Amino acid sequence: MFASVIVSITASDVNKIFEYKIPEGLTDMIKVGHRVVVPFGPRQIQGYVVDIKDEVDYDPARIKPIIRALDVEPVLTPELIRLAGHLADHYIASYISVIETILPAALKSRSKKMLSLDNPGGEASLTWQGMNLPPEVEVKKLSTSQLAALKPFIASGEVTEKTVLTQHTKQKYARALKPTFAPRGDFGRAHKQLELLDFIEQHDEHVLLSVVLENGYTAGTVNELVKKGYVERIDVVVDRDPYKSRVFEEDLPKALNREQQHAYEKIKHAVDEDIPETFLLHGVTGSGKTEIYLQTIAHVLDKGRTALMLVPEIALTPQMVNRFKARFGDEVAVLHSGLSHGEKYDEWLKVRNGGAKVVVGARSSVFAPVEKLGVIIIDEEHETTYKQQDRPMYHAAEVAKYRSRYYNCPVILGSATPSLESYARSERGVYTRLELNHRAVTEALTETKIVDMSIEHRNGNISIVSEALKEAIEERIRHGEQTVLLLNRRGYANFQICQSCGHVPNCPNCDISLTYHKAQFSLMCHYCGYEDAVKRECDSCGSDEVTFRGTGTEKVEEVLKDMFNTDIVRMDNDTTRRKGMHEKLLNTFEQNEIPILLGTQMIAKGLDYPNVTLVGVLNADTMLNIPDFRANEKTYQLLTQVAGRAGRHELSGEVIFQTYNPDHYAIELARSNDYRAFYDKEMAFRRLARYSPYYFHVLFTVSHETVQKCLEATTHIHKMIVDNVTDRAIIVGPSPSPIERINNQFRFQILLKYKNEPNLLEVLHEINLHYNELYKKEKLSLKIDVDPKYIM
């Protein structure tokens, strides 16, 4: 028997399958999906079994055997292995990089070089003992002189060098007490021991020692029972469950209105008939899309199948988890980057072992090792966070559709503001569109106003808060209601500027100005993380006439506190870095009835608070100025989504957009919540400019520390593309990227637009292979982004 193995090396020249012999003792154990340790040259490395066969095409005597298996059960299912191959091909990535993206970080191996004395006795033994070394020693712990002294014995084989592989995170164990049920003797006056023994024997298998101590028993009492043979100490696996101490009130299914019922029945039919249909659930904010998700999943579980539920932002996860845990209890596993490696590993194990039937999480949850999938749901499907920005640059929706075809189950893409690509597919019948045009709980009208900030400034108001918004906030505070304010820019000020010479401090590594953060009293780059102290004098002319311009959330928080004399909850990347802060801040806002929640786009979607009756957007123009063809779409989506946070229950809501472009159609149509009009207007622009969804895109980005190398590489790539595509394709570039330098790397790009290019995939792989080799020699990096979400 032979195993086809992908080894854990990302180099392009080993991005292929290697054959290994399965030793006789392992033939019944090793299956497709197992992690194994294999010899690779002089090393031992981790690999993944992707196929098992009876014969190979070359001399079996030359094939090395697998050393050992790392797991009792395979970590990958055959379906996930097939998926990895598909994604590697489609997104121009290495097979192993996709496999390691699919698996939790805890399963990635760490290696260490170990030396041991092979044959005690002789000169090697004397040298070893003279250094006072343990039986095995890690190479990196030896001094240079020690290693030099042992080198001859390594060469002669008297000292053995081997590689030991371990994984990042293992299962967590805890001490427990197990009753032996031995016949009881006379306890005399040891009443506490007898009481404790009764307590332990109530748990037939075991009880955690921590639970015993929490119930008031002492370690001394435990020791006496162990000594008498009534109890034995054991170690048991425990789950690192981030929700273990939480109590969720049961949430019963709610009655569906006519629109919800129609959508549910359509999806239910696809579930019952095993149809891999993709539904676009287009529902206005507050229309009850989540209740449809919940009832669909309940139906799937009744059929003995499983469900995947994806949300775009970690900030959305707490409320979504609450609803799912309240409806489905312990059958829910949660997977997102906010969990520790250990917590995520335990949740992953729970899913793989069948202990959870419903998975809720962010983008990478689409790879959860669930089997018998009955439905995959992607909420807020328009969000760009579903696209991975690092290799492999996959999109979660494409992964979901592939898995749905494998399991013959439907995919639900839900959004109040669908991506133009998804809506266009629903227009052509590729997706089945289901419309929810009315709010589920209330029909209370939400009034939306646009405030022209240029008029405000002409009237003498130079504050970031318009008079209309100020009055509306004051009214909410008087009535004990809450306000959500959006400013999609963190930090205190956009930049520091010298009023004498106009000098603006820039990041030394990137072509971008540094942002002022008052709390740290520093200037920071939001691209590479560079940080510099604020200087009182200009670096260019020495003047002390330095000031700060622009406004971020940190400064606005200060302004609002002074203006309204009230508490503020601020949510941005600076306040949510620590684990659990998303949920903590949202709970503070809701439970303490803080009047104002201020944040970046992480607060714009998914939040559902009955007391929020006012939403204010402090600068509706922020995303309009991005040099990207999706700028108008992103602006419309963000404004519509955040507007939907107001008046979601019995109380009516009000929305105020502050802008310098009151007549821009993205802002005007967000005010009237007219998605169809926006779609028609934006599609006309896309058709004229020949952008998606009328064309597919591939973005090539070359990075190097010199401009010349970038130009040479992009010129070469341009020629390769021209030589291998039809004259119907459109090639834009080579040109500098909108941000030309990041982290001391100059960046040039080419954008390919096409409709149908039969040879394209082959050409992309050829280009990628060429520049993988070039990276080793010249550190010139190429990223090929298929279907990019950012042209930046």
Side-chain angles (χ1 to χ4, degrees), residues 229-526:
Y230 295 122
V231 170
E232 61 178 316
R233 294 187 182 95
I234 59 171
D235 289 325
V236 296
V237 176
V238 292
D239 288 338
R240 286 159 285 209
D241 184 353
Y243 303 96
K244 191 172 185 177
S245 59
R246 294 272 294 279
V247 176
F248 298 93
E249 292 183 19
E250 186 180 6
D251 176 40
L252 297 173
K254 298 170 179 60
L256 302 179
N257 62 29
R258 184 180 56 82
E259 287 183 330
Q260 288 175 305
Q261 189 66 39
H262 171 76
Y264 171 70
E265 292 295 338
K266 286 276 190 181
I267 297 166
K268 181 173 175 287
H269 174 76
V271 171
D272 291 340
E273 298 299 320
D274 298 332
I275 303 170
E277 190 171 357
T278 301
F279 293 96
L280 177 63
L281 185 59
H282 178 210
V284 298
T285 53
S287 58
K289 294 186 290 293
T290 305
E291 186 61 31
I292 294 174
Y293 303 155
L294 290 166
Q295 295 199 22
T296 299
I297 290 172
H299 180 67
V300 163
L301 296 184
D302 287 343
K303 292 177 68 67
R305 302 183 75 173
T306 59
L308 271 178
M309 172 76 200
L310 270 61
V311 293
E313 294 266 6
I314 190 174
L316 291 185
T317 312
Q319 278 202 320
M320 194 64 80
V321 167
N322 288 344
R323 290 200 67 176
F324 274 69
K325 287 274 189 182
R327 189 69 63 93
F328 303 116
D330 290 338
E331 291 201 301
V332 177
V334 181
L335 295 170
H336 60 70
S337 59
L339 303 178
S340 69
H341 278 331
E343 288 171 341
K344 196 169 184 180
Y345 177 54
D346 285 353
E347 290 289 279
W348 180 88
L349 275 177
K350 183 178 171 184
V351 175
R352 194 201 67 178
N353 296 336
K357 306 296 184 187
V358 182
V359 177
V360 179
R363 178 181 61 235
S364 62
S365 305
V366 76
F367 297 119
V370 284
E371 297 189 71
K372 299 181 183 176
L373 260 172
V375 69
I376 306 173
I377 301 164
I378 301 183
D379 193 33
E380 311 292 4
E381 69 84 27
H382 63 277
E383 284 294 329
T384 53
T385 51
Y386 285 124
K387 180 76 158 79
Q388 170 97 345
Q389 296 305 313
D390 299 316
R391 298 183 182 95
M393 303 172 83
Y394 69 91
H395 195 291
E398 296 307 311
V399 179
K401 286 186 283 186
Y402 183 91
R403 297 195 76 180
S404 86
R405 291 191 294 271
Y406 185 91
Y407 285 106
N408 290 317
C409 71
V411 173
I412 305 172
L413 307 175
S415 178
T417 54
S419 66
L420 263 67
E421 288 83 357
S422 292
Y423 200 84
R425 284 171 184 157
S426 75
E427 287 283 274
R428 291 179 12 237
V430 178
Y431 295 168
T432 301
R433 188 165 73 240
L434 304 170
E435 298 275 6
L436 303 175
N437 297 312
H438 303 88
R439 284 193 162 182
V441 177
T442 177
E443 283 300 314
L445 294 174
T446 300
E447 182 186 3
T448 304
K449 300 174 186 173
I450 295 177
V451 175
D452 187 340
M453 292 302 286
S454 59
I455 295 175
E456 287 281 317
H457 287 189
R458 284 200 296 272
N459 293 337
N461 179 16
I462 59 171
S463 168
I464 192 169
V465 181
S466 64
E467 286 300 325
L469 182 56
K470 181 182 177 184
E471 290 172 10
I473 295 172
E474 287 172 341
E475 183 182 345
R476 292 328 185 275
I477 293 173
R478 283 196 302 273
H479 287 91
E481 296 169 9
Q482 292 174 297
T483 298
V484 169
L485 296 177
L486 171 73
L487 178 64
N488 204 24
R489 181 176 286 132
R490 67 186 174 105
Y492 190 86
N494 296 1
F495 55 89
Q496 183 183 35
I497 187 169
C498 173
Q499 296 181 98
S500 297
C501 71
H503 172 71
V504 174
N506 280 345
C507 174
N509 308 318
C510 312
D511 287 337
I512 199 81
S513 60
L514 295 171
T515 301
Y516 173 47
H517 287 250
K518 189 177 182 182
Q520 292 88 6
F521 197 62
S522 65
L523 298 170
M524 294 174 64
C525 175
H526 291 171

Side-chain angles (χ1 to χ4, degrees), residues 3 59 178 204 227 235 254 283 408 482 658 663:
D59 184 5
K178 180 181 179 182
D204 288 339
K227 194 185 298 181
D235 289 325
K254 298 170 179 60
N408 290 317
Q482 292 174 297
Q658 296 184 168
D663 299 324

Side-chain angles (χ1 to χ4, degrees), residues 42-55:
R43 295 179 288 169
Q44 294 180 9
I45 60 172
Q46 179 174 295
Y48 299 86
V49 177
V50 296
D51 193 15
I52 290 177
K53 52 184 73 170
D54 293 324
E55 296 179 351

Side-chain angles (χ1 to χ4, degrees), residues 107 223 265 300 382 481 484 529 539 557 590 601:
L107 291 175
N223 291 338
E265 292 295 338
V300 163
H382 63 277
E481 296 169 9
V484 169
D539 283 338
E557 180 184 20
E590 181 183 27
Q601 64 181 358

Side-chain angles (χ1 to χ4, degrees), residues 619-640:
N619 186 354
D621 310 329
T622 305
M623 300 189 77
L624 282 177
N625 302 317
I626 296 173
D628 188 277
F629 74 88
R630 289 191 172 93
N632 297 337
E633 181 183 11
K634 289 172 184 172
T635 297
Y636 175 85
Q637 288 167 341
L638 184 62
L639 296 180
T640 304

Side-chain angles (χ1 to χ4, degrees), residues 128-191:
W128 191 275
Q129 291 167 10
M131 296 179 187
N132 198 26
L133 297 178
E136 275 196 335
V137 63
E138 193 173 353
V139 170
K140 71 177 183 181
K141 292 182 178 177
L142 295 171
S143 67
T144 305
S145 59
Q146 286 176 318
L147 193 57
L150 291 172
K151 205 165 185 181
F153 304 116
I154 298 172
S156 68
E158 293 172 86
V159 170
T160 303
E161 180 183 23
K162 64 179 179 180
T163 304
V164 177
L165 296 177
T166 60
Q167 66 185 54
H168 284 257
T169 307
K170 295 182 179 178
Q171 289 183 302
K172 183 179 178 181
Y173 288 86
R175 181 55 56 93
L177 302 172
K178 180 181 179 182
T180 62
F181 297 104
R184 296 186 182 188
D186 182 15
F187 277 81
R189 287 194 284 180
H191 303 302

